């Protein structure tokens, strides 16, 4: 009898212990993991910014790096950086929201195909689109200007890519599809009953769009805005390609100068500038937090709904034309140029005697390319999956629980996004190289994987938390009431409902990994070469045509991924 | 008298023969030790060069020693070496980089003496080896014009010809305010013609760019008629395009690439053997045919007909590492 009583007691004690100790242990584990991924390289960089020499060289602690930032020249750099990023983010957001609404909520013809096409520019290496636009839009012999002169007979210049406008335009080609990817699923997952109520209460279509649809989209649009604005401040390629030649300097080009463009690299200034930029971005996050505090944006509730389509009538051809215009400008023109050039001996020289398949042959017969391709695929698949898993958990803890330590977790997960990539790469190098030799990270694929996870976590967290915020707590509570555990609820309810957004996040991170160069070049070892490094080698080795072949291959891969993904999403939505 | 001369010569030969035999034996020991090490890790700042890869493969084939290659830009290579050594990770053997970076790394103690290398004796002035550094190959800088736009009569003959007002707004240049070819050009022109040359050139409003591959193509497409400074090793890749390299009569600015052994190199004998191999006429000819100036004598004569006249020009001058940052600062002031 005694035994019979004792046994259930012990059995009941185990889950109780688990819930009592499991949660704090989980939180601690998460914090330790995030600290290693994000805080550790930051601490190395902070040391670099406060020390007269980089780690490993005797020197002294001082504030010279920060004091040196205060100059009229840097003020202009700051104004340029903020101004360019703000303009391009506002324009991109407006365009992306319009496109997302067209694709997700209207009966515009060919939406499925258009959705894939609109997002393509995001996945092309920026150096390739920059090259294409340099050919299309240079003031002297750019194709667009030549066409303009031929049509109008004027001597003037219609577009000049080497200008503020050129920098903004080139950046927009990345930020528009990026924001679009962020918001399109939120539009799709929205319960239209609120919009219907608005319409029934007499609001016009425009009023409903402005007051209801956009207002409900606030968490996801502000998230996308902040992410994109910060990314804009950290953008390098557009500024160095189109800005530097005409004296437009931004934070990243200044950092690049400090590190690579002088005999004695100045890591103290570069890291100090990185932290100054980070402080600025942190302010933005606080602002976003204030903006969204205390509001509820849940539109996916336990009640059934089906996202409806707005019938536009003849207007649907106008929306169709908008999508096509965007596609032609950002995809057809530059990619057409790349595709065409890949069949000629030289970029931009379209002579019949220069037709060749050599670039394709050279790339496909290049062993280093295939090794790098295999490494990148492995790192991309494992990295994107692990990062989304981590991001999903972090987002759950920070948005759906009241656990102690969740704020710290949120900040830790954000850190890598706020530090320019080329500075963060140095932080990873310093951090991983100085680990005890018994920890086999430096010089292995692990170094790259961990760096990619750290770099991808902010996106993963934003994607997941934006998706969670749309899901009402009643479904979750229902699950818990019916006896489901924490993990069961997370996976069966939240992830199950939010997975289209997760799939988008996965693709964003996967292609982020494929493109990442700043950390990769500092962390790869002879046998762990990745695609971005091979592409850099080809580029500096004077083979931009081969780089465009790889760029086109990446596009084919994107099309494949997006097609599979959208098929699954459609299937899922039709079963809702 | 004649007898005495013969006797002296015979005595000299008698002394030299065992010395040569001894040094042969010593070198053979290095070769054997290198083969035993079986591997060589090279850190190089020549990204994506097929010519270098061909020489590396020839070394692998000749000695059966596997080469592992880490390619990155000059400052990235330097920082990786520095932090690796600071953390007690001695991974790389041979360092291959521009002379400025190699000078800085010698100063910082990142390199170690390479030991005797037989082929060092073949190096010709103005290039010279020391205990740490072995000249490897030389990047030479010229002018590049678009053949369709610039008629032969209008081609600049001397460097000062680019100061003619007809080139105003028509010059595309590698950025002289940043490390690279532009900075080498700045220093050499400053040393040769003085500050006035740059002040006049700045008045020509040259457009700066930092993407060399793209700049060369911009000139080929006719966006600009003149590009400077043009690295001669890019010549082969542009064959077929309407461009022409010109070495002005005063000569060509140049920058040397050096080989050195990294501190604590795990395969020091393979490193030494590799440096010796690099200085053999066959390998130097590979580089010369790629457009680099060789560092040993008797090679330029064998170079392809189109490159020979360009390479067989006077070496005008090069950068001085000690003055590099001051010169970059001066360039910033002149070219605002």
């Amino acid at each position: 009898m005694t035994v019979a009583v004792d046994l259930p007691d012990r059995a009941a004690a185990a889950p109780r212990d688990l819930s009592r100790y499991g949660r704090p242990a989980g939180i601690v584990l998460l914090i330790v993991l995030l600290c290693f991924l994000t805080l550790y390289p930051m601490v190395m960089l902070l040391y670099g910014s406060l020390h007269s020499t980089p780690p490993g060289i005797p020197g002294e602690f001082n504030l010279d790096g920060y004091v040196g930032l205060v100059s009229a020249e840097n003020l202009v750099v700051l104004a340029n950086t903020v101004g360019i990023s703000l303009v391009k983010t506002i324009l991109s957001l407006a365009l992306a929201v319009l496109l997302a609404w067209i694709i997700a909520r209207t009966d515009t013809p060919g939406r499925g195909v258009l959705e894939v096409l609109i997002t393509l520019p995001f996945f092309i290496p920026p150096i390739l689109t920059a090259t294409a636009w340099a050919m299309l839009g240079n003031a002297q012999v750019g194709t667009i200007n030549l066409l303009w002169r031929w049509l109008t007979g004027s001597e003037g210049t219609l577009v000049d890519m080497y200008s503020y406008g050129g920098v903004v335009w080139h950046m927009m080609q990345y930020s528009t599809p990026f924001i679009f990817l962020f918001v399109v699923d939120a539009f799709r997952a929205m319960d239209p009953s609120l919009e219907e109520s608005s319409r029934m209460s007499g609001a016009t279509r425009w009023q409903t769009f402005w007051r209801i649809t956009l207002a409900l989209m606030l968490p996801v649009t502000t998230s996308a805005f902040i992410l994109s604005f910060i990314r804009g401040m950290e953008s390098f390629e557009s500024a160095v390609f189109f800005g530097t030649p005409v004296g437009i300097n931004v934070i990243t080009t200044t950092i690049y100068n400090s590190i690579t463009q002088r005999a004695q690299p100045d890591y103290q200034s570069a890291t100090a500038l990185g932290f100054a930029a980070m402080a600025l971005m942190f302010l933005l996050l606080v602002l976003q937090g204030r903006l969204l505090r205390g509001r509820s944006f849940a539109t996916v509730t336990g009640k059934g709904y089906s996202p409806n389509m707005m019938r536009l009538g003849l207007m649907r051809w106008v929306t169709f034309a908008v999508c096509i215009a965007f596609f032609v400008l950002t995809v057809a023109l530059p990619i057409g140029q790349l595709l065409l050039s890949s069949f000629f001996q030289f970029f931009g020289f379209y002579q019949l005697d220069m037709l060749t398949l050599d670039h394709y042959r050279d790339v496909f017969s290049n062993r280093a390319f295939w090794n790098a391709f295999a490494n990148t695929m492995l790192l991309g698949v494992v990295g994107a999956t692990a990062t989304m898993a981590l991001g999903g958990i972090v987002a759950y803890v920070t948005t759906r629980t009241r656990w102690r330590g969740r704020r710290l977790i949120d900040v830790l997960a954000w850190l890598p996004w706020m530090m320019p990539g080329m500075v963060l790469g140095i932080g990873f190098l310093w951090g991983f190289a100085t680990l005890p030799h018994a920890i086999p990270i430096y010089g292995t694929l692990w170094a790259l994987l961990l760096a990619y996870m750290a770099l991808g976590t902010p996106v993963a967290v934003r994607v997941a938390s934006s998706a969670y915020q749309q899901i009402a707590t009643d479904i979750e509570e229902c699950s818990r009431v019916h006896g489901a555990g924490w993990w069961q609820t997370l996976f069966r309810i939240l992830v199950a409902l939010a997975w289209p957004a997760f799939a988008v996040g996965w693709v964003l991170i996967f292609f982020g990994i494929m493109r990442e160069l700043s950390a990769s070049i500092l962390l790869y070892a002879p046998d762990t070469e990745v695609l971005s490094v091979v592409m850099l080698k080809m580029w500096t080795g004077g083979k931009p045509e081969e780089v465009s072949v790889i760029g086109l291959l990446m596009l084919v891969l994107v099309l494949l991924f997006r097609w599979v993904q959208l098929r699954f999403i459609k299937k899922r939505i039709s079963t809702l | 008298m004649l007898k005495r001369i013969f006797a002296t010569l015979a005595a000299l030969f008698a002394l030299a023969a065992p010395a040569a035999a001894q040094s042969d034996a010593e070198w053979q020991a290095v070769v054997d030790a290198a083969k035993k090490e079986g591997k060589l890790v090279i850190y190089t700042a020549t990204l994506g060069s097929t010519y270098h890869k061909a020489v590396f493969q020839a070394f692998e084939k000749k000695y059966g020693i596997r080469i592992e290659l880490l390619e990155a830009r000059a400052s990235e290579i330097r920082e990786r070496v520095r932090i690796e050594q600071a953390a007690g990770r001695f991974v790389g053997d041979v360092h291959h980089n521009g002379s400025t970076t190699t000078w800085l790394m010698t100063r910082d103690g990142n390199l170690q003496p390479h030991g005797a290398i037989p082929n060092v004796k073949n190096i010709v002035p103005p290039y010279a080896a020391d205990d740490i550094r072995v000249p490897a190959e030389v990047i030479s800088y010229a002018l590049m014009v678009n053949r369709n736009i610039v008629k032969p009569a209008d081609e600049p003959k001397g460097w000062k010809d680019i100061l003619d007002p007809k080139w105003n707004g028509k010059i595309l240049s590698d950025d002289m305010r940043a490390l690279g070819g532009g900075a080498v050009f700045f220093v050499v022109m400053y040393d040769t013609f003085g500050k006035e040359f740059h002040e006049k050139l700045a008045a020509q409003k040259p457009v700066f760019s930092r993407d060399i591959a793209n700049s060369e193509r911009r000139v080929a497409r006719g966006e600009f008629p003149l590009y400077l400074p043009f690295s001669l090793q890019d010549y082969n890749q542009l064959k077929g395009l309407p461009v022409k390299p010109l070495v002005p009569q005063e000569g060509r600015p140049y920058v040397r690439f050096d080989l050195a052994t990294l501190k604590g190199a795990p395969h020091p004998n393979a490193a030494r053997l590799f440096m010796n191999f690099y200085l053999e006429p066959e390998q130097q000819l590979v580089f010369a045919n790629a457009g680099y100036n060789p560092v040993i004598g008797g090679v330029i004569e064998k170079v392809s007909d189109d490159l020979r006249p360009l390479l067989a020009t006077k070496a005008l001058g090069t950068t001085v590492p000690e003055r590099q940052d001051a010169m970059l600062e001066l360039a910033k002031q002149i070219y605002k």
Side-chain angles (χ1 to χ4, degrees):
Chain A
M1 187 66 191
T2 319
V3 174
V5 172
D6 275 358
L7 275 177
D9 262 10
R10 253 184 227 157
R16 261 209 312 273
D17 284 351
L18 193 73
S19 76
R20 189 188 302 162
Y21 301 114
R23 183 184 298 175
I27 288 276
V28 169
L29 197 72
L30 200 57
I31 290 177
V32 169
L33 179 65
L34 287 171
C35 277
F36 178 70
L37 285 178
T38 68
L39 191 63
Y40 177 50
M42 288 290 176
V43 170
M44 297 302 285
L45 291 173
L46 189 64
Y47 172 92
S49 74
L50 293 170
H51 202 258
S52 59
T53 53
I57 298 183
E60 54 175 26
F61 284 100
N62 60 39
L63 289 171
D64 288 0
Y66 293 94
V67 174
L69 293 183
V70 188
S71 70
E73 198 183 337
N74 279 346
L75 214 63
V76 175
V77 166
L78 184 69
N80 273 341
T81 313
V82 173
I84 289 173
S85 188
L86 197 63
V87 170
K88 76 95 197 174
T89 311
I90 290 171
L91 293 175
S92 305
L93 185 73
L95 195 55
V97 166
L98 174 68
L99 292 169
W101 174 75
I102 291 172
I103 298 296
R105 304 299 303 279
T106 71
D107 61 345
T108 302
R111 293 184 309 277
V113 179
L114 285 175
E115 178 168 0
V116 176
L117 296 182
I118 283 169
T119 55
L120 278 183
F122 178 78
F123 302 100
I124 314 164
I127 192 80
L128 287 178
T129 47
T131 306
W133 274 105
M135 284 193 270
L136 289 164
N138 74 69
Q140 290 84 357
V141 291
T143 319
I144 296 172
N145 287 319
L146 290 179
L147 195 69
W148 170 253
R149 284 171 205 151
W150 179 72
L151 283 173
T152 62
S154 80
E155 292 281 296
T157 300
L158 183 65
V159 288
D160 183 3
M161 280 302 287
Y162 295 91
S163 62
Y164 279 101
V167 176
V168 167
W169 170 244
H170 188 246
M171 283 164 95
M172 277 179 68
Q173 293 185 50
Y174 291 87
S175 49
T176 308
F178 176 79
I179 299 174
F180 172 86
L181 279 165
F182 239 84
V183 298
V184 70
D185 280 312
F187 269 104
R188 233 190 314 252
M190 202 175 77
D191 181 356
S193 62
L194 290 165
E195 291 169 307
E196 282 159 15
S197 309
S198 163
R199 296 278 287 145
M200 283 167 73
S201 307
T204 63
R205 215 172 250 184
W206 175 245
Q207 282 172 323
T208 304
F209 177 76
W210 191 248
R211 291 192 190 155
I212 307 294
T213 317
L214 274 190
L216 282 172
M217 292 287 120
L218 212 53
V220 73
T221 44
T222 53
S223 270
F225 182 90
I226 300 266
L227 276 172
S228 177
F229 180 68
I230 292 176
R231 214 19 33 148
M233 287 184 57
E234 294 172 0
S235 164
F236 173 65
E237 288 91 347
S238 312
V240 81
F241 214 93
F242 298 117
T244 307
V246 286
I248 301 170
N249 291 313
V250 294
I251 287 179
T252 47
T253 51
T254 309
I255 291 174
Y256 183 69
N257 284 348
S258 305
I259 301 174
T260 63
Q261 304 291 291
R262 55 174 85 182
Q264 185 64 50
D266 187 354
Y267 289 103
Q268 193 176 15
S269 290
T271 46
L273 190 52
F275 277 106
M278 190 170 174
L280 201 73
M281 295 170 199
F282 198 77
L283 282 178
L284 276 173
L285 285 186
V286 173
L287 212 69
Q288 188 208 16
R290 288 243 168 121
L291 193 69
L292 301 181
R293 189 178 296 160
R295 300 196 192 184
S296 168
F297 300 93
T299 56
V300 180
T301 60
K303 293 174 283 179
Y305 77 92
S306 63
N308 72 346
M309 290 294 155
M310 193 178 277
R311 302 208 175 278
L312 293 176
L314 278 178
M315 276 294 283
R316 71 185 195 280
W317 293 107
V318 177
T319 53
F320 177 74
V322 169
C323 294
I324 289 295
F326 179 80
F327 170 73
V328 169
L329 276 176
T330 64
V331 183
L333 274 180
I335 295 176
Q337 188 105 34
L338 292 181
L339 185 66
L340 197 63
S341 294
S342 71
F343 293 108
F344 286 88
Q345 197 183 342
F346 295 105
F347 238 103
F349 288 86
Y350 309 123
Q351 292 164 228
L352 276 180
D353 60 337
M354 285 193 183
L355 262 173
T356 178
L357 283 173
D358 279 357
H359 306 311
Y360 286 86
R361 254 193 297 270
D362 289 346
V363 167
F364 291 133
S365 62
N366 184 343
R367 222 178 54 201
F369 163 74
W370 288 113
N371 285 343
F373 185 76
N375 282 336
T376 309
M377 284 298 122
L378 177 70
L379 285 164
V381 171
V382 176
T385 310
T387 311
M388 274 320 295
L390 180 65
I393 294 168
V394 168
Y396 182 82
V397 171
T398 54
T399 60
R400 310 294 277 201
T401 73
R402 306 229 157 263
W403 296 356
R404 223 179 287 164
R406 67 182 192 284
R407 290 266 168 266
L408 176 67
I409 289 174
D410 199 22
V411 170
L412 285 174
W414 256 107
L415 284 178
W417 196 267
M418 291 186 284
M419 182 58 83
M422 68 181 73
V423 181
L424 198 55
I426 296 163
F428 287 125
L429 172 70
W430 290 349
F432 292 156
T434 49
L435 282 173
H437 296 195
I439 304 173
I441 290 180
Y442 185 75
T444 68
L445 277 176
W446 283 105
L448 291 162
L449 180 70
L450 293 170
Y452 294 157
M453 279 181 71
L455 291 166
T457 300
V459 178
V461 172
R462 280 315 102 174
V463 166
S465 58
S466 295
Y468 290 163
Q469 272 172 321
Q470 282 199 318
I471 301 170
T473 44
D474 61 348
I475 314 176
E476 203 181 328
E477 280 157 9
C478 194
S479 157
R480 303 297 287 269
V481 166
H482 284 83
W486 190 87
W487 285 104
Q488 273 177 309
T489 305
L490 179 67
F491 281 102
R492 293 213 179 152
I493 305 295
L494 286 177
V495 175
L497 283 172
W499 91 261
F502 269 64
V504 169
W506 194 93
V507 171
L508 283 175
I509 294 165
F510 180 88
F511 283 92
I513 290 174
M514 277 190 98
R515 281 212 325 239
E516 205 293 324
L517 177 66
S518 303
S520 308
I521 190 89
L522 291 171
L523 294 174
Y524 92 95
D527 53 347
T528 63
E529 211 168 58
V530 288
L531 217 46
S532 56
V533 173
V534 168
M535 287 167 83
L536 175 73
K537 282 190 206 173
M538 288 175 172
W539 190 268
T540 50
K543 292 170 186 148
E545 295 81 11
E546 288 184 24
V547 178
S548 38
V549 169
I550 300 183
L552 292 166
L553 278 179
M554 283 164 82
L555 274 190
V556 172
L557 213 62
V558 174
L559 284 173
L560 193 75
F561 274 48
R562 298 283 290 145
W563 178 73
V564 170
Q565 184 195 354
L566 290 176
R567 265 183 71 101
F568 277 108
I569 288 176
K570 269 196 192 138
K571 213 168 158 191
R572 191 194 89 79
I573 283 178
S574 64
T575 57
L576 263 176
Chain B
M1 180 67 187
L2 208 61
K3 258 185 190 173
R4 207 186 293 165
I5 290 171
F6 274 123
T8 314
L9 279 176
L12 275 175
F13 277 123
L15 278 173
Q22 194 188 2
S23 80
D24 277 354
E26 272 174 15
W27 184 248
Q28 191 52 48
V30 172
V31 175
D32 293 342
K35 284 181 177 169
K36 210 169 169 190
E37 287 167 356
K39 185 177 151 183
L40 181 69
V41 180
I42 300 175
Y43 281 27
T44 177
T46 51
L47 271 164
S49 160
T50 48
Y51 305 102
H52 287 81
K53 215 154 265 177
V55 169
F56 299 157
Q57 281 165 358
F59 177 79
E60 284 182 323
K61 202 174 164 195
K62 183 169 179 182
Y63 294 106
I65 296 170
R66 190 163 58 88
I67 287 182
E68 281 187 0
L69 206 57
L70 189 91
E71 297 164 79
R73 291 166 285 202
S75 60
E76 289 158 350
I77 289 281
R78 181 177 171 213
E79 188 53 19
R80 284 195 70 157
V81 168
R82 195 198 62 72
I83 192 72
E84 282 177 3
Q85 293 186 353
R89 297 176 191 273
F90 297 97
V91 191
D93 297 305
V94 169
H95 176 255
H96 178 235
N97 212 325
S99 55
T100 299
T101 309
T102 312
W103 180 86
L104 288 165
M105 290 175 71
T106 310
R107 186 198 64 184
D108 296 345
N110 300 127
L111 308 170
Q112 67 180 29
H114 44 66
I117 293 170
N119 285 340
V120 159
K121 64 178 184 299
N122 301 330
I123 295 172
V124 290
Y127 321 115
D130 60 22
D131 287 350
I132 303 272
R133 292 168 293 181
V134 174
E137 70 272 340
V138 176
I139 295 178
S140 293
Y141 294 104
L143 289 170
M144 185 176 95
V145 293
N146 181 308
R147 272 192 283 119
N148 294 338
I149 306 174
V150 182
K151 294 184 187 76
D154 292 332
E155 289 171 0
K157 306 287 182 288
W159 285 105
K160 281 187 168 177
D161 290 351
I162 60 173
L163 304 178
D164 190 302
K166 73 179 175 190
W167 298 108
N168 194 305
K170 293 182 175 170
I171 300 172
L172 183 64
S173 167
D174 188 42
D175 201 335
M176 297 180 217
R177 304 159 301 185
L179 221 53
V184 176
F185 170 82
F186 181 85
V187 172
V188 177
M189 291 302 122
Y190 181 85
D191 289 347
T192 311
F193 303 116
K195 195 177 173 188
E196 199 192 1
F197 175 90
H198 284 299
E199 284 165 347
K200 285 182 179 166
L201 184 57
Q204 297 281 60
K205 296 189 182 67
V207 173
F208 284 144
S209 165
R210 296 190 188 175
D211 188 341
I212 297 166
N214 189 49
S215 297
E216 291 164 351
R217 281 161 166 74
R218 285 174 80 182
V219 172
R221 283 196 296 270
E223 218 179 308
F224 291 89
L226 181 74
Y227 176 63
L228 66 85
F230 172 64
S231 313
L232 289 178
Q233 87 270 14
D234 291 347
Y235 175 69
N236 283 342
Q237 282 154 6
L238 300 177
K239 271 184 188 168
L241 288 179
V243 292
K244 181 178 178 186
L246 303 168
V247 178
Q249 61 208 13
E250 296 90 346
R252 54 187 163 82
Y254 69 90
V255 71
R256 205 182 66 217
F257 257 64
D258 287 333
L259 292 167
T261 308
L262 285 162
K263 190 172 80 183
H267 314 103
N269 292 296
R272 210 163 142 187
L273 181 61
F274 176 76
M275 290 183 201
N276 192 61
F277 177 79
Y278 211 93
L279 294 175
E280 281 174 7
E282 294 81 6
Q283 320 316 325
Q284 288 289 308
L285 185 60
V286 171
F287 293 123
N289 276 325
Y292 293 94
N293 266 89
V295 295
I296 65 168
V299 174
I300 289 185
E301 296 76 2
K302 298 173 193 159
V303 174
S304 60
D305 290 344
D306 49 350
L307 270 167
R308 197 182 316 117
L310 297 167
L311 296 179
T313 44
K314 188 185 158 201
L316 185 59
T318 188
T319 47
V320 182
E322 295 93 321
R323 288 197 291 147
Q324 188 71 74
D325 278 340
M327 280 294 173
L328 289 173
E329 209 43 53
L330 183 63
K332 260 187 214 169
Q333 286 169 18
I334 297 177
Y335 297 95
K336 280 180 181 151

